[in-house]
Amino acid sequence: MKILPLKKTYAGKTVLDLPEIELGTGRVTAVIGANGSGKSTLAKLLAGIERPDERSWKAPAVRIGYMPQKSYAFRMSTARNVALNGDDAQRRQHLLKVLQLEPLARQRAKKLSGGETAKMALARLLMGRYELLILDEPTAAMDMESTFAAEGLIAGYCKETGCAVLLITHSIRQAQRLADEVLFLHRGELAERGSAAQLLAAPAREETKSFLEFYGM
Amino acid sequence: MGSSIQKAIALILSADRELLNILGTTARVSLTSSVIALLIGVPVGIWLGACRFRGRGALVVVNRTLMGMPPVVCGLLFYMLFSGVGPFRHLKLLFTVKLMIVAQVVLITPIVVGNMETYVSDIAPAMRETAKGLGFGLGKRFLLLLNECVYPIFSVYLLAFARAIAEVGAVSMVGGAIAWKTNVMTTAIMQYTNRGNFTLGIALGLILMTLSLIVNVVLSLMQRRMSR
């Protein structure tokens, strides 16, 4: 799946300038980088939330699912929020169970904590059928147990459906666990790409090295 | 003062015909104008809050200015338009309940629009991002937005009704406070107090305050439910 060269400028400042990127179907591609490196901008542009500078730019012509950093809980129960994106009751039960949301299923979703809301949002997204899944720091608010459960679900979804997953994360550890390939963004540019093991073993750029060192890698 | 209140309560309990007529006219004017304002204001408020377009900021500023329009100015405007020298004199609407309703709609609609716009613009960006990310179409996104607005619509309606029922400036100018025809509670209180008939004034004041209390209790309950 090809993502055409992408550029975004805010008030004359280029926040993202990427070359063509190929995303493998049935594979997880992690995007890492410091704050302001353009990770979320990339996610929003691909999901059609924001527009790139080039108005004629086209996102891949596939069904795209996107989970923003702060997902919205609609005014209904947790279970109904999840059911909004599909009526497969068995799958809904499975997702609620794995993400430990079963006891909260009948509770108003607006009363969920930040981590619980993120779990509900992931379950809701995974109820749908997509060919490209964009997840913007889906586990940032979750505890470790929930993070591992969520990672299992993401990997399973990718394998079962053969969709491409673009995972925005700050955690190189998470990228190591989940991703087949890692893109390292620095000030809006693709600084480096490769497997997590490659990046950890021999980062080619100084920025990648200092980013990884900062995270104790 | 004490005896006046006693007499006023007795008047309410006796279901005085004039009192009932004033209450009926008030209910007709306030209910109709607040419902019409809601029907116009809610879609406009949702549109202003949810959509981003050139000139939106200017529209919001104009609406906020209209929210603060003094009722007497509104009354004066309609008086000039519909009086014997006004461009709409042939409609013969001055000193009628119909024109009182129209004047109140003009006064209340900006309040409905402003409150809905504030609420929707607060939730719309996050909602849109999530719903669009799930691949929901425009129709489903609109229905979800409406679902989010259920309680705000109720509370905005109560606000609009409270404003309508307590308003005096516009209705007195365009209605003329004609007994048995266009006299509503607020204009009747002024009229009877000026004549020295405190009993009817106090009775109407008590009813008005009771209605205000009911509206505020319902509003508080709704706000508690919304925050749950």
Side-chain angles (χ1 to χ4, degrees):
Chain A
M1 188 181 299
K2 272 184 188 164
I3 294 173
L4 298 170
L6 199 52
K7 191 173 179 180
K8 180 71 182 173
T9 311
Y10 286 120
K13 190 188 169 200
T14 303
V15 291
L16 193 72
D17 191 0
L18 293 183
E20 185 176 291
I21 299 168
E22 181 109 21
L23 297 179
T25 51
R27 287 163 64 90
V28 177
T29 304
V31 182
I32 61 168
N35 287 338
S37 59
K39 305 186 300 295
S40 291
T41 305
L42 169 63
K44 285 181 182 179
L45 291 173
L46 284 176
I49 306 299
E50 288 183 18
R51 282 183 175 184
D53 293 349
E54 183 61 62
R55 294 288 160 149
S56 60
W57 183 88
K58 289 265 184 278
V62 293
R63 196 167 148 74
I64 298 173
Y66 161 65
M67 178 176 161
Q69 260 181 45
K70 282 188 181 174
S71 283
Y72 191 85
F74 295 103
R75 196 183 63 82
M76 53 187 77
S77 72
T78 307
R80 282 193 64 197
N81 259 278
V82 176
L84 271 176
N85 200 21
D87 43 20
D88 184 342
Q90 212 176 338
R91 175 151 180 80
R92 186 177 70 227
Q93 269 324 106
H94 169 70
L95 290 167
L96 290 173
K97 190 177 176 184
V98 173
L99 291 168
Q100 297 165 328
L101 287 171
E102 266 182 326
L104 306 169
R106 295 167 74 97
Q107 189 180 306
R108 283 167 187 266
K110 288 210 188 285
K111 296 299 282 181
L112 298 175
S113 69
E116 289 163 350
T117 304
K119 289 195 278 183
M120 180 275 292
L122 182 65
R124 185 172 59 193
L125 186 69
L126 296 182
M127 282 293 288
R129 282 282 172 260
Y130 304 100
E131 290 155 88
L132 171 58
L133 208 57
I134 304 161
L135 307 166
D136 194 353
E137 298 185 34
T139 61
M142 295 182 200
D143 56 41
M144 279 315 287
E145 195 183 349
S146 303
T147 298
F148 289 137
E151 286 175 2
L153 285 173
I154 295 165
Y157 184 91
C158 180
K159 202 175 165 186
E160 282 164 28
T161 62
C163 81
V165 176
L166 192 74
L167 174 75
I168 314 288
T169 179
H170 271 293
S171 165
I172 185 70
R173 291 267 187 219
Q174 186 169 59
Q176 209 175 3
R177 288 192 297 268
L178 265 182
D180 300 288
E181 190 182 25
V182 178
L183 309 179
F184 176 69
L185 298 193
H186 180 68
R187 292 182 183 164
E189 291 183 353
L190 179 61
E192 204 166 338
R193 67 187 298 176
S195 70
Q198 275 174 335
L199 254 65
L200 282 167
R205 299 260 304 245
E206 200 52 44
E207 296 87 9
T208 322
K209 200 175 166 187
S210 57
F211 176 82
L212 295 173
E213 274 173 4
F214 189 75
Y215 282 91
M217 304 300 287
Chain B
M1 178 79 179
S3 66
S4 290
I5 293 173
Q6 276 177 354
K7 280 182 193 169
I9 292 168
L11 196 69
I12 295 167
L13 295 175
S14 70
D16 177 75
R17 277 189 65 224
E18 188 176 6
L19 184 73
L20 288 179
N21 177 269
I22 292 167
L23 289 178
T25 310
T26 308
R28 195 176 149 205
V29 172
S30 306
L31 286 171
T32 314
S33 61
S34 51
V35 167
I36 295 171
L38 196 76
L39 291 173
I40 300 168
V42 167
V44 175
I46 290 178
W47 171 65
L48 269 181
C51 301
R52 296 287 173 270
F53 53 89
R54 198 182 290 267
R56 179 188 167 275
L59 283 177
V60 170
V61 170
V62 168
N63 187 67
R64 284 181 189 160
T65 307
L66 291 174
M67 280 170 83
M69 178 163 62
V72 283
V73 173
C74 179
L76 176 68
L77 179 76
F78 277 94
Y79 190 93
M80 284 163 61
L81 290 172
F82 289 88
S83 68
V85 290
F88 301 119
R89 60 185 176 275
H90 60 282
L91 294 173
K92 295 191 170 125
L93 282 175
L94 196 64
F95 306 135
T96 64
V97 167
K98 279 181 188 165
L99 194 61
M100 288 162 77
I101 291 170
V102 174
Q104 285 212 330
V105 168
V106 170
L107 264 182
I108 301 163
T109 305
I111 296 170
V112 177
V113 172
N115 277 280
M116 287 310 297
E117 184 271 321
T118 305
Y119 179 76
V120 172
S121 61
D122 195 37
I123 63 163
M127 240 200 86
R128 178 177 163 266
E129 197 172 337
T130 296
K132 215 172 168 186
L134 290 163
F136 294 166
L138 203 61
K140 193 164 182 177
R141 294 209 305 262
F142 178 71
L143 288 178
L144 282 169
L145 183 58
L146 269 188
N147 183 52
E148 296 296 304
C149 293
V150 168
Y151 288 119
I153 288 172
F154 273 116
S155 62
V156 161
Y157 175 73
L158 289 175
L159 269 177
F161 178 73
R163 168 82 193 228
I165 205 164
E167 196 275 314
V168 60
V171 285
S172 66
M173 287 189 80
V174 300
I178 303 165
W180 301 95
K181 195 185 167 199
T182 59
N183 221 3
V184 290
M185 282 199 280
T186 47
T187 53
I189 290 172
M190 276 177 61
Q191 205 177 51
Y192 288 101
T193 306
N194 287 340
R195 284 188 205 158
N197 181 354
F198 291 105
T199 307
L200 194 62
I202 292 170
L204 289 165
L206 285 174
I207 294 168
L208 204 55
M209 290 307 293
T210 308
L211 281 171
S212 173
L213 178 74
I214 292 167
V215 167
N216 277 297
V217 168
V218 175
L219 262 178
S220 305
L221 289 174
M222 295 193 80
Q223 274 163 354
R224 270 172 60 183
R225 195 171 159 81
M226 274 169 75
S227 66
R228 250 192 257 149

